[in-house]
Amino acid sequence: MSHIALYRAWRPQTFQDMVGQRHIIQTLQNAIRENRVSHAYLFNGPRGTGKTTAAKVLAKAVNCERGPAEEPCNECDACRGITAGHIMDVVEIDAASNRGIDEIRDIRDKVRYAPSEVRYKVYIIDEVHMLTSEAFNALLKTLEEPPGHVIFILATTEPHKLPATIISRCQRFDFRQVSLEEQSERLFEICREEGIEAEEDAIAYIARLSEGGMRDAISLLEQVAAFGGSRITLDGAVDVTGGMAADQFYALAEAIRDRNVAAIMPLVESLTQAGKSADKCMENLIFYFRDLLVLKLAPQGAVTERVVDAERFRGMADAFSSERLFKMIDTLNTYQSDMKHASQPQTLFEVALMKICTIGNESAGGAGSGGDAAASSPPAASAEVQRLRQQVEILERKLEQLIQNGGGAGSGAGDGGAARQPASPSRRPGFGGGGAAVSRSTVKLDPFVAAAGSPGTGQVRMKWNEVLHRVKEARITVHAWLVDGEPVAATDSTILVAFKNTMHRETTERPAHREIIERVMQDVFGNPVKLATCMLKEWQNAASRSGEQEGETLELQPDAIDTGEEQRPQWVEEAVKLFGEDLVVIKEDN
């Protein structure tokens, strides 16, 4: 049986057949029984939860020849005609393709005429949020003064896009996601009727993938059944839907737990060879670590439906600290957002996995020997983390090459040696084209040292997090380099940022990156601001020299000073140039 035939065969024909919406069904049935049917309804909720189906069942219930009845008989001419779509008085409109004012005007012109075949004219407008503003205005006029023989049923997944004037004239019903238990029960019922043998884990897996949509669950069931024939297994369901098996989850988590990058790369390659997409693997991995975190923070009351082997899963949860899991999930979520626009999602997935291998070094309280392996020998762990950071840095360089406009493909081969051997601090290869060195500006630190304690510097430091956030929104890769630096001083038109890492500083100073940062700083501070950079050690040395000289002011005798004029002797001017205006004090000779 094809998917369409299977879905149609199991599409609810009465309120009683619907799954998971008892509160809505009871309300509608009470209204029909008491003859208090409204002229307009708004059905909203996630996809596949029964909004359009409920609208059609309601249309049959109010027009049933044996009613109006709480349940349509599905035997009379009216019920069978509405089910088949032959009754002209029950109209279903897809607002996604009929969203203009002309279509709504046509409805407005026709509603004045009485129904010809059944008791009520029923207009079902699906995806109503897609209507234009003009169409909403035309619909509003009809909803304000509706004829007594017309019922409007609006269905949408995004009610927040509807005008408040439309919502206020409708009875609103919020359809919820169908629970896993209700979905599994209905899927087992379908399998029994269709003569399909299904494993309980496979049905639970299909129900979880549908994310609360009964329609999606039936679609996935048909897809898996077509693959497995008369028997549905968990492995078959995982293969067909492109998910990751429990063993693959465990192997990846084990490698991440032990910070074993060498084991991660073959695992990712095997997933790729098996046809698993990088974005789907990333999504599944986030769910996996989320379940580990839930099990760790609420071991007694937590219910993680994705768990297949509970003991094995609990052991893996004990191997991680909650702090590390939080950081790992945050990191994976960040990379998942970047993957939507990446030309090489697999590379980004590999970088994300290597990144979370380097997160934290804390012991996972109560963990087994695997979880504390990194913490048991600090010297070895430190060397291992350093090695991993270097590998991540190499991958980040490759990623930066791929992101650049047309520059990455040409420079990949030529820069291979530079990627394996760290370049000298004074001259590192650039990422953009052919290995040319990035020019680094020379900054005189004395004016910035003098301004380090100024109110302007304090204001910059308070707003720096906002600058980083806006840079991240503008371009995530620029934020990755800029976050290594910190603002140490600010003059009227320039902000000095000190970096710990030479590569981060050089990459930040690239013209394209500098332009983005300076544009963001102008937006944040309200005036044009230039970016200046230095190494943190240089700044610390300059600040310490200034501290040593503080209090040792040079006293000069104004022998040739004419106090009545603004001019000063040449040697005084030279002293001011050498030590700065603030450190030179001229005293009168008593």
Side-chain angles (χ1 to χ4, degrees):
M1 184 179 290
S2 68
H3 157 61
I4 296 178
L6 180 62
Y7 177 67
R8 284 179 178 172
W10 286 94
R11 186 169 187 171
Q13 300 300 320
T14 66
F15 286 125
Q16 191 66 31
D17 295 336
M18 296 188 63
V19 178
Q21 313 297 341
R22 295 307 306 171
H23 62 298
I24 296 176
I25 293 170
Q26 183 176 349
T27 305
L28 293 175
Q29 287 181 328
N30 291 342
I32 295 171
R33 183 176 62 250
E34 298 173 8
N35 197 23
R36 301 177 64 180
V37 178
S38 175
H39 70 281
Y41 293 94
L42 173 61
F43 293 169
N44 66 270
R47 70 180 190 276
T49 52
K51 299 183 295 297
T52 307
T53 298
K56 289 186 176 180
V57 174
L58 177 59
K60 289 192 293 185
V62 298
N63 286 313
C64 180
E65 293 178 3
R66 302 177 185 177
E70 297 178 21
E71 292 284 5
C73 68
N74 288 316
E75 296 177 357
C76 65
D77 292 339
C79 287
R80 285 185 295 166
I82 293 173
T83 301
H86 298 159
I87 301 297
M88 301 300 293
D89 293 321
V90 178
V91 183
E92 184 176 358
I93 302 171
D94 180 14
S97 54
N98 300 279
R99 58 194 304 262
I101 189 173
D102 293 335
E103 288 82 358
I104 303 301
R105 281 176 175 169
D106 183 60
I107 294 175
R108 188 181 63 186
D109 293 339
K110 291 179 179 179
V111 295
R112 69 183 70 176
Y113 302 111
S116 58
E117 299 177 80
V118 290
R119 193 175 293 111
Y120 288 95
K121 275 191 172 184
V122 181
Y123 289 92
I124 303 171
I125 306 179
D126 198 11
E127 301 297 337
V128 68
H129 65 272
M130 298 291 290
L131 292 179
T132 62
S133 300
E134 294 79 6
F136 272 127
N137 291 335
L139 179 62
L140 179 61
K141 186 64 176 176
T142 303
L143 293 179
E144 284 177 342
E145 301 172 359
H149 58 263
V150 176
I151 298 175
F152 283 93
I153 305 176
L154 314 180
T156 179
T157 56
E158 302 181 52
H160 57 277
K161 292 186 177 180
L162 270 64
T165 50
I166 295 289
I167 296 176
S168 66
R169 287 164 172 80
C170 301
Q171 284 192 15
R172 175 171 174 171
F173 291 91
D174 296 326
F175 285 68
R176 62 177 178 84
Q177 292 181 335
V178 184
S179 67
L180 289 174
E181 293 78 8
E182 292 172 315
Q183 280 188 314
S184 299
E185 183 179 350
R186 175 55 62 90
L187 293 179
F188 272 121
E189 182 183 354
I190 294 174
C191 289
R192 285 193 298 269
E193 293 292 333
E194 298 294 333
I196 300 172
E197 184 182 354
E199 294 181 357
E200 186 175 346
D201 290 340
I203 293 297
Y205 175 77
I206 292 172
R208 287 194 299 268
L209 283 186
S210 67
E211 297 181 351
M214 197 66 238
R215 182 182 63 216
D216 293 347
I218 297 177
S219 173
L220 289 170
L221 178 67
E222 174 63 21
Q223 184 179 354
V224 176
F227 172 78
S230 60
R231 178 173 174 79
I232 295 177
T233 63
L234 176 60
D235 291 338
V238 170
D239 287 340
V240 171
T241 57
M244 293 171 60
D247 290 339
Q248 293 171 318
F249 278 122
Y250 187 82
L252 268 178
E254 195 174 36
I256 294 169
R257 177 197 67 192
D258 299 336
R259 310 180 195 279
N260 187 357
V261 177
I264 284 180
M265 306 311 289
L267 286 172
V268 174
E269 186 63 28
S270 67
L271 291 172
T272 304
Q273 294 297 327
K276 314 295 185 185
S277 62
D279 56 343
K280 191 68 176 179
C281 291
M282 179 75 84
E283 178 185 344
N284 290 336
L285 203 58
I286 291 175
F287 278 126
Y288 182 82
F289 287 122
R290 173 263 181 195
D291 289 341
L292 288 179
L293 185 60
V294 171
L295 192 62
K296 190 169 190 67
L297 296 180
Q300 303 301 326
V303 178
T304 52
E305 298 87 357
R306 278 171 283 266
V307 176
V308 177
D309 188 340
E311 285 300 320
R312 194 181 191 187
F313 197 81
R314 192 175 298 276
M316 183 59 70
D318 291 338
F320 289 90
S321 70
S322 56
E323 292 80 10
R324 187 181 178 193
L325 286 172
F326 275 120
K327 293 178 182 177
M328 288 163 57
I329 293 172
D330 286 342
T331 302
L332 291 176
N333 184 60
T334 300
Y335 278 95
Q336 184 186 34
S337 301
D338 298 341
M339 286 175 67
K340 296 177 182 178
H341 311 288
S343 58
Q344 297 289 338
Q346 182 182 342
T347 302
L348 209 57
F349 182 51
E350 293 172 352
V351 172
L353 292 177
M354 298 182 74
K355 188 79 171 180
I356 62 178
C357 279
T358 65
I359 289 178
N361 236 353
E362 64 273 11
S363 170
S369 58
D372 294 336
S376 58
S377 54
S382 178
E384 177 71 9
V385 170
Q386 184 63 28
R387 183 179 67 82
L388 292 176
R389 284 177 178 168
Q390 291 176 355
Q391 291 181 349
V392 171
E393 186 175 297
I394 291 172
L395 276 176
E396 286 179 338
R397 293 183 187 181
K398 292 180 180 179
L399 180 62
E400 179 70 18
Q401 290 176 345
L402 293 171
I403 293 176
Q404 297 308 313
N405 296 327
S411 60
D415 291 344
R420 290 189 295 271
Q421 298 179 358
S424 63
S426 60
R427 186 178 180 84
R428 285 181 181 246
F431 299 121
V438 177
S439 61
R440 220 168 65 195
S441 59
T442 302
V443 180
K444 292 184 179 180
L445 298 181
D446 290 342
F448 292 103
V449 171
S454 67
T457 300
Q459 183 181 12
V460 168
R461 287 174 178 164
M462 286 190 295
K463 293 187 176 182
W464 190 246
N465 283 336
E466 183 180 353
V467 172
L468 292 176
H469 178 71
R470 293 199 183 187
V471 170
K472 186 176 182 180
E473 291 179 345
R475 185 171 296 179
I476 185 68
T477 52
V478 178
H479 172 269
W481 306 117
L482 182 61
V483 76
D484 179 67
E486 60 173 301
V488 292
T491 62
D492 292 339
S493 60
T494 307
I495 296 175
L496 179 65
V497 179
F499 287 85
K500 303 174 186 177
N501 184 285
T502 305
M503 184 187 69
H504 289 181
R505 177 192 178 189
E506 292 177 347
T507 310
T508 302
E509 283 197 337
R510 295 192 64 202
H513 295 175
R514 176 188 289 273
E515 180 182 354
I516 293 174
I517 297 170
E518 290 180 347
R519 184 172 67 247
V520 169
M521 291 195 301
Q522 179 174 349
D523 293 341
V524 172
F525 298 109
N527 57 287
V529 182
K530 296 294 184 182
L531 172 69
T533 66
C534 69
M535 296 307 297
L536 186 59
K537 290 183 178 179
E538 298 175 10
W539 171 257
Q540 291 172 343
N541 292 337
S544 61
R545 286 197 306 269
S546 174
E548 292 174 358
Q549 295 175 356
E550 188 175 351
E552 299 179 3
T553 56
L554 182 63
E555 299 182 2
L556 303 176
Q557 301 295 334
D559 292 339
I561 294 179
D562 183 359
T563 57
E565 300 179 1
E566 295 296 331
Q567 297 179 349
R568 295 185 293 195
Q570 183 64 29
W571 55 274
V572 174
E573 296 292 343
E574 293 296 330
V576 170
K577 291 179 182 179
L578 181 61
F579 298 104
E581 191 77 41
D582 295 337
L583 298 180
V584 176
V585 178
I586 302 175
K587 292 188 176 181
E588 295 288 343
D589 189 358
N590 294 331

